[in-house]
Amino acid sequence: MRLHPTDYAIIALYFAFVIAVGFIIKRRIRSSNDFLNSGRNIPLWITSLAFISANLGAQEVLGMVASGAKYGIMTVHFYWVGAIFAMVFLGVFMMPFYYGSKARSVPEYLSMRFDEKTRGLNAITFAGMTVFSSGISLFALAKLLEITLGWDFDISIWVAAGIVMAYTFLGGLTSAVYNEVLQFFLIVLGLFPLVVVCLDDAGGWANIKANLAPQYTHAWEYLDKADRNSMGINAMSLIFGLGFVMSFGYWCTDFLVVQRAMIARNMNDAQRTPILAAVPKMLMPIIVVLPGVVAIALMQPGMQSGPDVFRIPTAPDGGFDYTMTLPSLLAHYYPSGLLGVGITALLASFMSGMAGNVTAFNSVFTYDIYQSYFVKQRSDRHYLLVGKWVTVVGILISILTAYVAQSFNNINDFLQLVFSFVNGPLFATFVLGMFWKRATGHGAFWGLLTGTLAAAATHGLTIAEGKGGWISPTFTIGSGMAQAFAVASVSFIVNFGVTIIVSLLTAPKPDSELRGLVYSLTEKPSTHGLPWYRKASSLGLLLVILTLLLNWIFY
């Protein structure tokens, strides 16, 4: 891949702009709440785009293109099964608890609903997950700089981390949110031309279907048995593992995305934030899945004609390096100038994902670990400074985890595994806590702890693509993705059962302490007199119908 002066100018302009945003926002940062939570003063259209863009990091762009090449059109399940339904559920049912409770974070809500030990356990596991996820984005960004600019991998990591640290240290969450909006438009505008060009080169969708094995071009038809599809799963594993546990566990409990809705100006905007964000999310497979499917189709013998043929790079083990599918497509199809826009779009996605995780990490660490357990009564200025320096610490830990991501040939597999350890068991805690007032703090804590340990045990007893089996490789699973679904499913079931048993043996909180925290004891937001397009429930129902239709079309 060769960049020209025009391409470098576009990239430099982007770097200068995002850092400038940090300096501009810095003037508005006067308290720890401004730095860590934006003061709950962000407009709906900003929160909605930031909500989707916070998830539009390396795992979304680079990882989903890689999964499209590795697993085919089945990758759309991460959207039409593993996202939209949960985003609607979050907006309609769960945001009233989060926003109405005035909690500053998801772990703080757990302290209100259950107790401090449950909060502490979740804060620690979530903080670990965010720096792992941030490290994945950093690895992908450094790898891209190494390939496109010829920079040394280690230097690339430190330069990329330094740029993200600059604007998050200066402007905190608000800086990250406004940059996420910019990054959303850059990603769409930078990658959509690639979809058009490579799809045309492949002869259209009909020609792709003619050259690929049928399991790569059907979303549901080959899910009756795990050995009939490239992902190595069956329909039940997909629906329960991804569509229920991992999907709801991520979108409904992960503070990284929930935080974007919690900073909205009012309850109605908070509820509509994830629902409006679901509209571009539903269409995102066009940008991030289809190029991967086209790439693997272009590798088929029937399309290998002429001197200028496309090839996915090979990994050191001789297999395909799926993670580099998108950069190789950009290098193959984009001319100078447009290549700079495409590379900038990738840089934007990686920095968006990394900054989102870092800002979630500094909020949870400052409020739910440092202030709650170490230094409880200090000035607001003290916590503002702690939040800023925790940002630096989060960046440094992310650098370490970036090197761990090198061992995976598909960073999306690695990311889903990280999510399965944290969000799988956590969703069981939330679903019982919000909808069963008998759930107790002791039940939640021991359920969350045993669920997390069950996730570790499942990973240690299963092996997929050489990963796992560190206890004993007792069970072989077809793919790393299927292994992540299994880990999430087992952790959820164990947590669910243990929480119920322990809760029945311990005393619950009185109803007076649960008002606004449990569904049956919470006043429902009134939408009387509002038009349908301003009601979360009406918009959510419309999106569910459209998503079901898409699943039927690509069956």
Side-chain angles (χ1 to χ4, degrees):
M1 183 182 295
R2 296 187 61 184
L3 299 185
H4 293 81
T6 305
D7 303 311
Y8 284 107
I10 293 171
I11 295 170
L13 180 64
Y14 169 70
F15 284 157
F17 188 88
V18 296
I19 294 175
V21 169
F23 277 103
I24 294 170
I25 298 297
K26 183 177 183 292
R27 302 172 186 173
R28 298 169 48 184
I29 305 300
R30 296 182 175 87
S31 68
S32 64
N33 190 45
D34 291 337
F35 184 79
L36 298 171
N37 282 329
S38 296
R40 283 193 169 185
N41 194 34
I42 306 297
L44 174 62
W45 75 274
I46 295 289
T47 59
S48 298
L49 289 177
F51 188 98
I52 188 65
S53 188
N55 178 252
L56 205 58
Q59 63 272 25
E60 179 84 2
V61 179
L62 208 66
M64 288 301 175
V65 175
S67 292
K70 186 175 181 180
Y71 303 120
I73 204 68
M74 286 181 64
T75 308
V76 300
H77 291 312
F78 284 94
Y79 301 84
W80 302 340
V81 174
I84 306 302
F85 303 115
M87 294 169 75
V88 170
F89 187 83
L90 170 64
V92 174
F93 293 104
M94 296 185 74
M95 281 315 301
F97 300 109
Y98 287 133
Y99 198 88
S101 68
K102 304 297 182 183
R104 296 170 298 181
S105 66
V106 168
E108 188 168 59
Y109 170 82
L110 289 176
S111 73
M112 297 176 177
R113 172 59 184 91
F114 295 115
D115 54 25
E116 283 297 323
K117 63 180 181 292
T118 306
R119 173 196 202 170
L121 178 59
N122 174 238
I124 292 170
T125 57
F126 176 77
M129 183 186 72
T130 55
V131 292
F132 264 101
S133 184
S134 177
I136 292 171
S137 292
L138 182 56
F139 158 74
L141 178 51
K143 192 72 175 176
L144 178 68
L145 293 176
E146 180 187 35
I147 291 176
T148 58
L149 306 183
W151 289 6
D152 178 78
F153 181 79
D154 299 315
I155 294 176
S156 299
I157 279 186
W158 287 93
V159 170
I163 292 171
V164 174
M165 183 174 67
Y167 75 80
T168 52
F169 185 87
L170 290 167
L173 178 60
T174 305
S175 176
V177 164
Y178 278 94
N179 271 315
E180 284 164 0
V181 174
L182 166 68
Q183 288 155 349
F184 172 81
F185 288 110
L186 275 175
I187 292 164
V188 174
L189 295 175
L191 298 184
F192 185 74
L194 176 67
V195 177
V196 176
V197 172
C198 67
L199 188 61
D200 179 70
D201 190 38
W205 182 246
N207 196 44
I208 290 173
K209 292 182 69 174
N211 282 274
L212 277 179
Q215 59 265 33
Y216 280 89
T217 57
H218 291 82
W220 288 95
E221 187 172 345
Y222 295 90
L223 281 171
D224 54 335
K225 294 181 180 179
D227 58 3
R228 293 193 68 205
N229 61 79
S230 55
M231 202 173 282
I233 59 173
N234 56 38
M236 186 57 66
S237 175
L238 175 79
I239 293 171
F240 184 75
L242 174 62
F244 182 64
V245 177
M246 292 188 70
S247 172
F248 283 74
Y250 174 74
W251 293 104
C252 298
T253 70
D254 194 314
F255 184 53
L256 166 64
V257 290
V258 173
Q259 185 182 38
R260 272 63 187 162
M262 290 174 70
I263 61 177
R265 289 176 171 173
N266 54 60
M267 175 71 80
N268 186 256
D269 283 2
Q271 285 193 275
R272 286 187 294 159
T273 288
I275 294 174
L276 293 180
V279 177
K281 184 71 175 179
M282 183 167 52
L283 302 175
M284 200 54 64
I286 298 173
I287 302 292
V288 297
V289 175
L290 186 56
V293 179
V294 174
I296 200 65
L298 291 170
M299 300 284 291
Q300 305 308 304
M303 295 192 181
Q304 295 286 307
S305 60
D308 188 26
V309 297
F310 170 79
R311 293 197 62 82
I312 296 175
T314 56
D317 62 4
F320 289 134
D321 186 359
Y322 292 108
T323 299
M324 299 314 299
T325 300
L326 183 54
S328 61
L329 282 170
L330 290 173
H332 186 78
Y333 287 107
Y334 273 13
S336 177
L338 189 57
L339 180 58
V341 174
I343 295 301
T344 303
L346 285 183
L347 294 174
S349 74
F350 306 145
M351 294 171 69
S352 172
M354 186 178 180
N357 279 285
V358 169
T359 52
F361 172 79
N362 64 21
S363 293
V364 168
F365 187 91
T366 303
Y367 287 143
D368 297 297
I369 298 176
Y370 181 80
Q371 186 180 27
S372 297
Y373 300 106
F374 294 98
V375 181
K376 295 186 177 182
Q377 296 181 342
R378 293 292 296 273
S379 67
D380 184 76
R381 174 69 178 173
H382 174 80
Y383 295 117
L384 171 59
L385 292 175
V386 169
K388 283 178 172 285
W389 288 110
V390 165
T391 300
V392 177
V393 173
I395 294 285
L396 293 175
I397 299 174
S398 299
I399 290 172
L400 294 177
T401 60
Y403 289 96
V404 178
Q406 282 185 292
S407 64
F408 283 74
N409 69 356
N410 181 357
I411 58 172
N412 194 39
D413 287 356
F414 179 39
L415 190 79
Q416 298 306 322
L417 181 62
V418 173
F419 286 164
S420 68
F421 268 77
V422 179
N423 293 330
L426 181 60
F427 180 57
T429 301
F430 267 88
V431 75
L432 287 171
M434 287 186 166
F435 299 101
W436 186 44
K437 66 180 183 178
R438 184 67 179 76
T440 69
H442 294 302
F445 174 79
W446 288 108
L448 193 57
L449 180 60
T450 55
T452 304
L453 293 175
T458 304
H459 185 252
L461 292 171
T462 60
I463 188 166
E465 301 181 73
K467 305 297 189 298
W470 48 273
I471 297 176
S472 174
T474 306
F475 305 99
T476 300
I477 298 181
S479 69
M481 198 69 71
Q483 184 184 41
F485 295 167
V487 169
S489 299
V490 172
S491 65
F492 174 88
I493 293 169
V494 170
N495 187 346
F496 198 86
V498 170
T499 300
I500 290 175
I501 293 170
V502 176
S503 293
L504 292 174
L505 297 175
T506 53
K509 286 185 175 182
D511 288 0
S512 59
E513 296 182 20
L514 296 176
R515 299 195 184 280
L517 301 172
V518 178
Y519 188 78
S520 61
L521 300 174
T522 298
E523 183 179 354
K524 309 304 181 290
S526 175
T527 56
H528 181 71
L530 291 177
W532 69 269
Y533 55 84
R534 295 191 61 189
K535 295 181 180 180
S537 56
S538 301
L539 291 172
L541 179 61
L542 177 62
L543 281 172
V544 167
I545 292 172
L546 291 175
T547 305
L548 292 173
L549 180 62
L550 285 171
N551 276 283
W552 178 75
I553 291 173
F554 288 90
Y555 180 88

